[in-house]
Amino acid sequence: MSSALPIPAAPAPAASAPKTVVNSPASDVIKSPEKLAATDSAKLCFSPDFAKNICECVSHTKCLKTNEPAQSSFGTTMFPSAVSAALVIIGWIIVHKAQSNRERRKQIREYVSNLCDDLTELESLAIVYHTSAREEAKEQEIISKLGRLEKACSTLPRFIESQKFLFKAVKPEKLKIDGKRMQVLRQAMTLNHFGDEHTGALGHQDDFILNLELATVEVREALEGVRIDSLD
Amino acid sequence: MTKVETVVVNVAKQFTKLPGLRYIRLGRFSGEEFRQKFLLEPLKQGKTIIVELDGVRGYGSSFLEEAFGGTVRELDLDITDALNRIKIVTSVESWRLDVEEYIRTAKSRKNATNA
């Protein structure tokens, strides 16, 4: 097509150049063939027909080389436009995705922060329960809060489940809290010295309480790990 | 090849959403009660049990130990056989790990108790 325009052999100098302004996209540049003819290069190769050809060719209505009406303007106009549009869309998708991931990571951090608070509350509750006289209400509360914490931890990977392809906000494996740590925590709080086995208050330095605190530390470390992995 | 019959037990739907403590004497919905109502009979009949743990408020370890470990002790099941015939379905990994551990250690807990 007319994407590469060879300059034809210089025709005879213009005898009388047309004075009409060509109605084309290039008309702002090529105001009139007369002006073109005034330049040195134009002097060499300008004629009324050539000027007309140039104008038609620039406006994509005629092929300069073959002097035939242009069959299609895709090569000169549509292709560059399509590439530009595609680049704009791809850029928009990347920016949108990055912004969405940033928001998702923020949500994860807030969620984990709340879980840490719940864990702290649960630890205090369990320590008070085991270091005081038995209270059945506290047993139910511990089971309930523990269950809620376990379920909340197990739902963490769901934050990115809706992200099906590339550019996940966080790697899925980074959101997984080791089930073993949760298991140890629950055993430390509810397996022994719980229910009718609660025969009396334990001391704060009792191994049972120390194990409970240790199990809490392990879970908190796992949660902090998730929070750090969810930083920008 | 004989087909092993399977029984599905959903704790939240068939038992309670608020599991309690270890023994019946400690209150309603205990691990002991769950074991007697849902686990012993099918296992005695040679069936496989699928226990769905989700949908409840939470479990105390004492509940799970008494329900599952207690079943192994009461029926004197072989550990491998028990692990094959008691399947746990849950989205909370720590519950599944806990049950499996109580099945594995049921006999040693019994021994410790006897000792």
Side-chain angles (χ1 to χ4, degrees), chain A residues 196-227:
Chain A
D196 66 336
E197 293 178 20
H198 189 303
T199 50
L202 298 174
H204 281 273
Q205 292 303 312
D206 193 284
D207 281 350
F208 187 92
I209 300 298
L210 296 178
N211 277 338
L212 193 156
E213 288 172 340
L214 199 60
T216 309
V217 167
E218 291 284 320
V219 173
R220 186 173 286 112
E221 276 179 5
L223 288 171
E224 292 294 346
V226 172
R227 188 153 63 177

Side-chain angles (χ1 to χ4, degrees), chain A residues 75-87:
Chain A
T76 52
T77 57
M78 290 302 288
F79 183 70
S81 301
V83 169
S84 301
L87 286 175

Side-chain angles (χ1 to χ4, degrees), chain A:
Chain A
M1 296 299 293
S2 59
S3 57
L5 300 175
I7 298 174
S16 63
K19 293 182 180 178
T20 55
V21 175
V22 179
N23 185 18
S24 76
S27 61
D28 291 341
V29 179
I30 306 171
K31 294 294 182 187
S32 74
E34 285 168 333
K35 285 189 177 178
L36 282 175
T39 63
D40 290 342
S41 57
K43 281 177 186 173
L44 294 172
C45 60
F46 209 78
S47 74
D49 288 341
F50 180 64
K52 191 180 171 192
N53 280 345
I54 287 281
C55 294
E56 286 176 341
C57 207
V58 169
S59 62
H60 312 299
T61 57
K62 199 172 183 180
C63 175
L64 185 61
K65 188 176 180 181
T66 61
N67 207 26
E68 289 175 356
Q71 297 296 313
S72 164
S73 60
F74 179 80
T76 52
T77 57
M78 290 302 288
F79 183 70
S81 301
V83 169
S84 301
L87 286 175
V88 167
I89 290 170
I90 290 168
W92 178 84
I93 289 172
I94 290 171
V95 169
H96 171 73
K97 196 74 184 167
Q99 192 178 0
S100 162
N101 281 351
R102 206 160 33 240
E103 181 61 29
R104 210 176 281 253
R105 285 195 292 270
K106 188 182 170 194
Q107 294 279 336
I108 292 170
R109 290 197 302 274
E110 287 174 2
Y111 188 80
V112 170
S113 180
N114 289 336
L115 289 182
C116 286
D117 293 343
D118 291 346
L119 179 63
T120 304
E121 199 180 321
L122 178 62
E123 182 189 22
S124 303
L125 179 66
I127 289 175
V128 168
Y129 169 77
H130 288 291
T131 55
S132 315
R134 185 185 170 202
E135 278 185 64
E136 289 182 30
K138 278 202 171 70
E139 289 166 1
Q140 300 303 321
E141 202 178 342
I142 288 171
I143 290 175
S144 177
K145 286 186 173 175
L146 195 52
R148 211 178 306 149
L149 181 72
E150 285 178 301
K151 283 184 271 186
C153 287
S154 69
T155 56
L156 264 171
R158 288 172 63 185
F159 270 91
I160 54 163
E161 267 178 13
S162 60
Q163 295 189 299
K164 290 173 183 163
F165 303 111
L166 296 172
F167 307 121
K168 284 187 182 272
V170 184
K171 287 181 181 173
E173 62 271 17
K174 301 278 185 188
L175 290 182
K176 203 167 180 294
I177 302 291
D178 183 14
K180 189 73 187 168
R181 294 188 191 210
M182 296 304 298
Q183 183 196 1
V184 170
L185 178 72
R186 186 153 37 74
Q187 288 181 351
M189 290 182 177
T190 64
L191 182 58
N192 298 312
H193 196 255
F194 197 74
D196 66 336
E197 293 178 20
H198 189 303
T199 50
L202 298 174
H204 281 273
Q205 292 303 312
D206 193 284
D207 281 350
F208 187 92
I209 300 298
L210 296 178
N211 277 338
L212 193 156
E213 288 172 340
L214 199 60
T216 309
V217 167
E218 291 284 320
V219 173
R220 186 173 286 112
E221 276 179 5
L223 288 171
E224 292 294 346
V226 172
R227 188 153 63 177
I228 288 166
D229 285 328
S230 305
L231 292 172
D232 284 328

Side-chain angles (χ1 to χ4, degrees), chain B residues 78-92:
Chain B
D78 174 68
I79 305 300
T80 313
D81 181 43
L83 286 170
N84 285 333
R85 290 171 57 203
I86 301 174
K87 304 284 184 192
I88 302 300
V89 176
T90 175
S91 60
V92 183

